[in-house]
Amino acid sequence: MNLNLATAAVFSSMVEIALCIGMLVLWTRERVRYLVFWSSGFFAFGVGALLVSLRERITDIFSILVANTSLTLSSILFYVGICLFFDRRRSWLPWMLLVLIAEVALLAHFVFVDYHTTARVYVYNTAQTLIVLATLQTLFSVIHEKKKEVNPEVVIVTSLFFAAHSVRSVGTPFFPAPQDFLASGNFQTLLAFGLMLIHIAYAQAFGNMHAAALNAELNAALTDAKIKERQKVEVLGYVSHDLRAPLATIRGYSELLLANAPKDQQGSLQMIQRSVKYQLDLINELLEYAKSELQPLAVKPVTTDLHLLLDDISEYAIALCSQQGNRFEYQVSERLPRHITVDGKRLQQVLLNLLSNAAKFTRGGSVTLSVTARPDKAGCALFFAVSDTGIGIDLNQGIDIFGAFQQMQAENGSTGLGLFISQRILSAMGGSLNVTSTSGEGTTFSFAFFAPVVDAYGTGWPIVARRQAQPRSPAQHPTIPPGSMPTDQALDELAHLALHGRLTDIERWIEIQSGTDDYAPYLDLLKSSLEQFDFSAIHMLASHRRSTDMAEIISSAPPVSSTAHAAPLSVS
């Protein structure tokens, strides 16, 4: 096959266009400016090579002036792209443009005034050599300043580009170019193919630079994410630590009140103490996680009084169910082991999650906790189920209700973490959470796991009585004469305090209003609700105005019971 300069030019034009398209594809994905300049550089070189190959079919203006200008312009575009990539000032660009203008002028002279092919070769190579030298100077200055890591291949390829033009300048006197440049011999043809290979290497180097930039951005994003995650853990530790102080205060005051409380109030105060203890345990666990960055929700089985644990959970459930007029039933097998090896805190956490959900999505119905025990080798198999007659769940929607942040009913404002946490805990305990539900007819969540029994086996288990709690009837409130209420401004303030659960400020508000004897019946009603920590009732009372019939307020107010509503675990 007879290779000549025209053949090399045709091959070069095809390769350069392909490289241009490749850079454009990268640009469509990332939209960075330097890719546009590199793509334009390959395109300009391809156009120049194509015009050179058409020397015999087009005029000298296009085949010489425009072709050589395009070839030189491609190196300028490469330089601009490199400057943009390294965020450098394009300080050499004005000089390059002057070189390009001088090249055009000299080429025009050696075409239309003094036709001289060898002179044109010198002009073109000198222009290219100066531009490539400026590009190398920029690359070495970036390496010296260490602002960005420079891929060594781009320096090597640029150096080869410089060497190719230098070789052509040095070798042209020994291999003179004929008047018809396309008739040049093997020397010029080999150099043309060499430039094509160098441009291919340029494209690969540019692609590696772009990939390195993307990796650097990804690493920076990962580092930033780790820092933010660390900050979240620290904030979790700070908040958890500060939450212990008010809870400790509540526990202290409840102990003082319990010491002198009448019998009918002792149950409520004991419920408060159990709630505070449970919350403090969870907060201490958050602190442990924040300090040591251990995986949360670890299960630590210990000897647990199952009867006492279920009694406490039932008390919580009664308080939860009464808030929406639900009946609570505690159904248990006739015999149940008393002491088993289980993580009682985790079991309580799961059951309270399920009971809270059942009470939340049921109104005027029933919630049932069923517990069954069956002897199994050296322990027992425990079966738990929480059923309700509430709104139910449409399981045909294809939603993974056990996934994090999956809300069963978005309008209730849940976070969707309760079932996810419960499933993780049960998985660690060797069980699994199951659900059966029909929309509008209620839901049943159930699970089972094995637990070693510490004391008696099988028939020696104690007998357990079932419990049932009916919805509490509204309490009878004293009749309050119309007009015996604080001002609208004072009621607005009370509504704001109740909305945010500001117990101490509400007590201070009552003290301020107690100076007016006419407000006494209304304040007694508030104090009764405050003793039960029933902020929703306080907010409802505060939201009504003096013009409202007080009898309507009393009839619509939530019932005040003799048993405190336990502050439930935040679940969904």
Side-chain angles (χ1 to χ4, degrees):
M1 181 179 180
N2 184 22
L3 296 179
N4 54 35
L5 195 59
T7 305
V10 171
F11 273 102
S12 293
S13 63
M14 291 190 296
V15 170
E16 299 290 335
I17 296 300
L19 297 177
C20 166
I21 294 173
M23 287 293 160
L24 280 179
V25 170
L26 289 179
W27 175 80
T28 57
R29 295 177 180 177
E30 306 300 333
R31 301 283 181 175
V32 286
R33 287 198 300 164
Y34 56 80
L35 290 175
V36 176
F37 282 93
W38 289 340
S39 177
S40 300
F42 290 120
F43 179 78
F45 201 93
V47 170
L50 182 62
L51 292 176
V52 169
S53 66
L54 298 175
R55 172 74 177 84
E56 297 177 352
R57 300 183 182 183
I58 58 178
T59 62
D60 290 342
I61 293 178
F62 290 100
S63 64
I64 297 178
L65 290 182
V66 177
N68 283 275
T69 302
S70 296
L71 296 174
T72 305
L73 180 62
S74 68
S75 297
I76 296 177
L77 293 171
F78 291 155
Y79 165 78
V80 175
I82 290 173
C83 289
L84 288 174
F85 179 85
F86 291 110
D87 196 21
R88 294 277 303 181
R89 290 183 58 191
R90 296 176 286 281
S91 56
W92 290 102
L93 185 57
W95 297 101
M96 291 182 181
L97 294 176
L98 287 176
V99 169
L100 184 62
I101 294 172
E103 179 189 10
V104 173
L106 290 172
L107 288 175
H109 174 78
F110 291 115
V111 172
F112 301 108
V113 178
D114 181 15
Y115 195 90
H116 199 298
T117 305
T118 303
R120 294 199 305 271
V121 173
Y122 279 118
V123 170
Y124 167 76
N125 283 313
T126 302
Q128 286 278 19
T129 301
L130 292 174
I131 294 171
V132 175
L133 274 176
T135 305
L136 281 173
Q137 189 276 335
T138 299
L139 291 173
F140 284 119
S141 63
V142 172
I143 294 174
H144 178 72
E145 294 173 5
K146 295 183 180 179
K147 287 186 176 180
K148 269 189 177 182
E149 185 177 351
V150 178
N151 291 38
E153 56 264 36
V154 72
V155 179
I156 295 172
V157 174
T158 306
S159 300
L160 289 175
F161 204 14
F162 172 76
H165 289 295
S166 300
V167 168
R168 173 176 274 178
S169 297
V170 173
T172 296
F174 301 99
F175 304 97
Q179 289 293 95
D180 183 4
F181 187 66
L182 289 183
S184 296
N186 295 333
F187 178 73
Q188 300 291 348
T189 302
L190 290 175
L191 284 176
F193 275 111
L195 288 176
M196 181 180 68
L197 295 176
I198 288 173
H199 273 221
I200 294 174
Y202 241 152
Q204 183 176 3
F206 290 158
N208 291 339
M209 290 168 62
H210 178 62
L214 293 181
N215 289 334
E217 292 179 3
L218 179 60
N219 290 333
L222 289 175
T223 302
D224 184 61
K226 289 180 180 179
I227 293 174
K228 289 182 178 179
E229 185 67 23
R230 176 72 180 181
Q231 291 173 345
K232 288 179 181 179
V233 173
E234 291 176 354
V235 170
L236 179 64
Y238 299 151
V239 173
S240 301
H241 181 271
D242 291 342
L243 279 175
R244 291 192 302 179
L247 285 174
T249 303
I250 294 173
R251 182 173 63 180
Y253 276 111
S254 65
E255 290 175 352
L256 292 176
L257 293 173
L258 183 61
N260 300 312
K263 290 185 178 180
D264 60 342
Q265 294 182 2
Q266 288 181 357
S268 300
L269 292 171
Q270 289 172 351
M271 176 66 72
I272 293 174
Q273 288 184 328
R274 287 196 294 269
S275 299
V276 170
K277 181 181 182 301
Y278 179 62
Q279 294 294 333
L280 282 173
D281 288 341
L282 292 178
I283 289 173
N284 289 333
E285 181 178 320
L286 289 176
L287 278 174
E288 179 184 353
Y289 168 63
K291 290 178 180 178
S292 61
E293 296 184 14
L294 296 175
Q295 184 72 10
L297 306 179
V299 174
K300 300 177 180 178
V302 294
T303 301
T304 302
D305 189 329
L306 182 60
H307 291 202
L308 180 60
L309 176 65
L310 293 175
D311 284 342
D312 286 345
I313 293 173
S314 298
E315 291 295 330
Y316 279 110
I318 292 171
L320 289 170
C321 291
S322 66
Q323 294 177 5
Q324 297 202 108
N326 296 312
R327 181 179 68 258
F328 173 71
E329 295 184 11
Y330 172 40
Q331 300 178 353
V332 63
S333 56
E334 183 178 356
R335 295 184 180 275
L336 199 68
R338 175 171 291 279
H339 294 100
I340 62 174
T341 303
V342 69
D343 191 329
K345 181 174 64 175
R346 291 299 182 206
L347 179 58
Q348 182 183 34
Q349 189 174 356
V350 171
L351 290 174
L352 285 181
N353 268 305
L354 301 178
L355 289 167
S356 177
N357 278 338
K360 184 191 319 182
F361 298 116
T362 305
R363 186 179 296 272
S366 64
V367 175
T368 303
L369 170 62
S370 303
V371 183
T372 304
R374 186 185 66 208
D376 187 357
K377 297 181 180 179
C380 67
L382 291 171
F383 301 87
F384 295 85
V386 175
S387 305
D388 64 70
T389 59
I391 59 177
I393 306 171
D394 187 0
L395 299 177
N396 295 324
Q397 294 180 352
I399 300 176
D400 179 15
I401 63 173
F402 300 121
F405 302 107
Q406 291 292 341
Q407 301 180 15
M408 290 186 292
Q409 295 291 328
E411 64 270 15
N412 286 278
S414 348
T415 61
L417 278 173
L419 295 178
F420 171 74
I421 293 173
S422 298
Q423 186 70 286
R424 284 195 56 185
I425 293 174
L426 290 173
S427 178
M429 295 173 68
S432 178
L433 189 59
N434 303 305
V435 58
T436 57
S437 180
T438 302
S439 181
E441 298 182 9
T443 304
T444 298
F445 286 94
S446 60
F447 61 92
F449 61 88
F450 173 83
V453 177
V454 177
D455 44 22
Y457 172 78
T459 57
W461 293 345
I463 299 176
V464 182
R466 298 189 177 191
R467 299 180 59 179
Q468 182 170 328
Q470 298 293 335
R472 294 167 181 165
S473 59
Q476 298 296 323
H477 297 293
T479 302
I480 299 178
S484 299
M485 295 176 63
T487 64
D488 288 353
Q489 182 178 359
L491 291 175
D492 288 337
E493 180 185 1
L494 177 62
H496 175 75
L497 297 176
L499 185 63
H500 294 84
R502 294 165 62 175
L503 174 67
T504 306
D505 292 332
I506 294 176
E507 291 177 339
R508 188 179 300 110
W509 185 93
I510 294 175
E511 290 178 3
I512 294 174
Q513 303 300 327
S514 62
T516 304
D517 294 336
D518 293 339
Y519 301 162
Y522 180 77
L523 297 179
D524 289 340
L525 185 60
L526 288 179
K527 291 177 182 177
S528 180
S529 298
L530 188 62
E531 287 177 358
Q532 311 303 324
F533 300 97
D534 197 345
F535 294 104
S536 60
I538 298 173
H539 184 270
M540 181 178 294
L541 292 170
S543 299
H544 290 75
R545 295 297 178 261
R546 288 177 295 172
S547 58
T548 307
D549 184 7
M550 198 61 205
E552 180 183 347
I553 298 178
I554 296 174
S555 63
S556 62
V560 179
S561 64
S562 60
T563 302
H565 297 324
L569 171 68
S570 176
V571 293
S572 55

